[in-house]
Structure formats: C-alpha cells, structure tokens
Amino acid sequence: MARPRWISRRFNNLIQATLLLSGMGAMMVLLGWMLAGPVGVWYGLLLGVAMVLMPRASPQLILSMYQARKLSPAEAPGLYSVMAQLVRRTGTSVVPTMYHVPSSLLNAFTLGTRRRPLVAVTDGLLRGLTPSEVVAVLAHEVSHIHHNDMWIMSLADGVTRIIGTMAIVGQVLLLVNLPAPGARP
C-alpha cells in the first residue's frame, strides 16, 4: 500500500532537518574542542542548542531588511488573482500576502507559516519575466506553502548564518595568532 505524498514529504523534511542540525552540532562541537579542549565540547553543544532553540527572525524583520512593501489586492489585482487560483488548485487554505521588493534581481521567496504565508517578489522578476513565467515562479512559491517547506528553509538559513559566523570567528582567530613581521620565535 502506497503512502500518501504528504507523509513522504514530511519524512523528507524531517530527514533534512536532522541532517542540518546534526551537521551544525558536529561543527559546534569540533570548534569547541579546537578552541578549549574537552570543556569546549560542552560549550559548543550548549551554544548549538541555544542557537537552535532561539526564536527565528520574524518575517516582518526580514521584509524590512529587503525594504519590501506590502501590495494590496487593489495595487496588484493580477498577482492576487493568480495566487488565488494557485491556492485553490493546491487545496491550501490561505492566499499569501504579497510584497514587492525594490531590487533588480530576479527573485521571489516565501516567508511565514502555512497559516500566515507571505510571498515577496522583486521588481526585476516582475519586469524581466513574461506573465506565464511569473505564474510559474508563483506556483513554485505556493508549492513551498502547500508542503510547509518554510520551516526547513528557515532552519537552513539559520545554519547558513551560524556557519558564516563561525567562518568569521575562524578568520579573526587566524589573524590574531599570526606572528608579527620580524618577531622571533
């Protein structure tokens, strides 16, 4: 008997989350061991757990970083009409709130939760693609909402930020530990 698709999708998201968290934990433990030995392992574990448990950045904060502006249905009736059709086709219950990002990049992204989804589209995407290509991009974003991928995407984003911070710390530690020119050992 075949499993429903949503079960395999949830299982896939769980596997991805487990791998991301395990990888991040291993890096934190390794960094702790390299910096402080066995005691550093515990500090690395504590720091990793704290970073996972701390609240995620709010969608409004992320939208403000991109200088996104909320689009009303009166401003973008075509986008909201397409979104309503896509949502109806997928069986998702809520039409996402649309945001406009003033950027020349061709990009769209989904934020929020399944119950309160937000979709942001850039100016470059709206100007650079044909209407049917924009619909395809919006369908892709609605699929993220339908499959509840926002959680795993925010987790991946958090792990990426932690790895970036660890890289900067590593570079600073390397620079601090380099011998000064002309210094004798």
Side-chain angles (χ1 to χ4, degrees):
M1 186 167 154
R3 290 187 302 185
R5 284 187 71 156
W6 68 271
I7 291 176
S8 63
R9 184 71 167 189
R10 259 195 193 164
F11 182 72
N12 189 25
N13 283 350
L14 181 65
I15 294 295
Q16 288 176 350
T18 303
L19 289 173
L20 278 170
L21 293 174
S22 299
M24 185 191 72
M27 280 193 269
M28 297 302 280
V29 166
L30 179 64
L31 182 64
W33 180 75
M34 288 171 48
L35 293 176
V39 173
V41 169
W42 291 106
Y43 285 122
L45 276 173
L46 285 173
L47 187 60
V49 168
M51 288 182 173
V52 168
L53 295 179
M54 63 185 212
R56 304 274 179 246
S58 79
Q60 297 306 328
L61 175 68
I62 294 169
L63 290 169
S64 69
M65 286 176 17
Y66 285 107
Q67 299 172 350
R69 179 178 65 81
K70 185 176 179 179
L71 292 173
S72 69
E75 287 179 290
L79 285 177
Y80 274 97
S81 171
V82 165
M83 276 301 211
Q85 288 177 1
L86 292 170
V87 164
R88 194 171 35 255
R89 283 184 180 181
T90 61
T92 309
S93 59
V94 180
V95 176
T97 305
M98 300 294 297
Y99 283 82
H100 176 262
V101 177
S103 171
S104 60
L105 294 174
L106 277 75
N107 194 17
F109 54 92
T110 305
L111 298 167
T113 63
R114 187 181 237 178
R115 292 186 181 103
R116 294 185 56 162
L118 311 168
V119 173
V121 292
T122 62
D123 193 50
L125 182 123
L126 295 173
R127 294 181 191 274
L129 298 181
T130 65
S132 62
E133 290 171 330
V134 171
V135 169
V137 170
L138 294 177
H140 174 85
E141 298 306 322
V142 169
S143 76
H144 284 308
I145 296 165
H146 179 69
H147 295 297
N148 202 21
D149 291 337
M150 284 88 64
W151 181 76
I152 193 72
M153 291 188 310
S154 69
L155 185 62
D157 180 56
V159 169
T160 302
R161 290 177 196 277
I162 291 168
I163 291 170
T165 302
M166 289 170 61
I168 291 170
V169 168
Q171 290 172 355
V172 168
L173 289 173
L174 178 68
L175 290 174
V176 168
N177 287 314
L178 287 176
R184 294 187 176 163

